[in-house]
Amino acid sequence: LRPLEKVVWSVVGSGGFTDPRETEEVLGLAKTLPNFAGIMLDDFFTGKAEGKRAQWTVAELESIRKRLRAIRSDFQIMVTLYYRHVDLPIQDYLELIDVVTLWGGPSDLPNLEANLERVEKAAPRQRKMLGCYLADFSKASGLPVPLMKLQCETGLRWLKEKRIQGMIFLANTLADFGFESVDWVRKWIAEVADVKIPD
């Protein structure tokens, strides 16, 4: 990963998996790698309004944040936020987050504008990135191209409007299954590659 300008490493993974030993390994990387930019908390929120609301307590997140910032003051903490979790009581967690990545399934995409407004209200100071699925996991198939186009074109407009600061394409193991949505995204990225985004 040396050629990359910025690398963010996950310490809470898919399904909310987390291990203190792995977190310590990642904090060690943060001390030695110049392109290390922060940590990612994937599937961090449990969807519960009471009890265990997230994979870590607020105190644990605050401790990790302090340790990261002691290594370098510009390290970022990123979190996955599903639209269905936006209205839960997670404000105390969000106060310790720098970047919110926004994710929703096919049924959420027709309501992207309203969903972003909800996130802007819940997390006004955090930087935001639009997460774009390439597949419909409930059907084990590629995302329909009209929905792929909707989220990509909406994301580009939001970038131009400075409402978000980036877009993420969840490719993982999906990019070579022959999904039409993947081919469409490849072409779209090539077409908009030179579009100027305001600083």
Side-chain angles (χ1 to χ4, degrees):
L1 302 177
R2 282 195 196 108
L4 301 178
E5 290 182 16
K6 293 183 179 180
V7 175
V8 175
W9 207 278
S10 179
V11 292
V12 177
S14 179
F17 173 81
T18 184
D19 185 316
R21 295 168 298 178
E22 187 174 319
T23 301
E24 291 302 320
E25 289 285 335
V26 173
L27 290 173
L29 293 176
K31 295 176 182 177
T32 59
L33 300 178
N35 62 349
F36 192 99
I39 60 172
M40 179 70 195
L41 312 177
D42 190 24
D43 289 346
F44 183 67
F45 297 112
T46 64
K48 298 177 181 177
E50 299 177 358
K52 185 179 179 182
R53 295 175 295 142
Q55 302 305 328
W56 296 344
T57 65
V58 173
E60 287 170 330
L61 177 57
E62 189 170 23
S63 173
I64 293 295
R65 181 179 179 83
K66 286 179 179 176
R67 291 178 64 189
L68 267 177
R69 292 296 174 90
I71 298 169
R72 209 175 71 215
S73 63
D74 62 344
F75 277 137
Q76 302 284 288
I77 297 180
M78 304 174 67
V79 73
T80 294
L81 182 61
Y82 297 104
Y83 295 121
R84 65 181 183 271
H85 293 164
V86 172
D87 300 319
L88 291 172
I90 55 174
Q91 194 62 42
D92 46 354
Y93 282 101
L94 292 177
E95 289 299 322
L96 299 168
I97 299 296
D98 302 295
V99 182
V100 175
T101 69
L102 316 173
W103 298 91
S107 62
D108 294 298
L109 299 182
N111 302 308
L112 279 175
E113 195 68 37
N115 283 327
L116 180 61
E117 289 174 5
R118 289 167 56 223
V119 174
E120 289 172 328
K121 192 173 293 185
R125 68 159 189 82
Q126 288 78 3
R127 294 171 60 229
K128 297 161 190 70
M129 301 180 78
L130 176 64
C132 299
Y133 286 118
L134 304 179
D136 181 344
F137 293 99
S138 67
K139 297 180 179 177
S141 65
L143 194 72
V145 169
L147 289 180
M148 196 77 246
K149 181 177 181 181
L150 173 65
Q151 63 181 341
C152 288
E153 292 183 348
T154 300
L156 182 59
R157 174 169 58 81
W158 287 348
L159 281 168
K160 292 177 180 178
E161 295 170 352
K162 298 185 181 181
R163 294 178 71 189
I164 63 172
Q165 286 68 50
M167 295 175 65
I168 303 169
F169 294 92
L170 183 62
N172 55 27
T173 58
L174 302 171
D176 297 309
F177 284 176
F179 291 153
E180 189 179 359
S181 55
V182 175
D183 292 336
W184 187 90
V185 164
R186 284 193 179 112
K187 292 175 184 174
W188 181 81
I189 290 174
E191 289 171 3
V192 302
D194 296 326
V195 172
K196 300 298 181 186
I197 303 299
D199 292 333

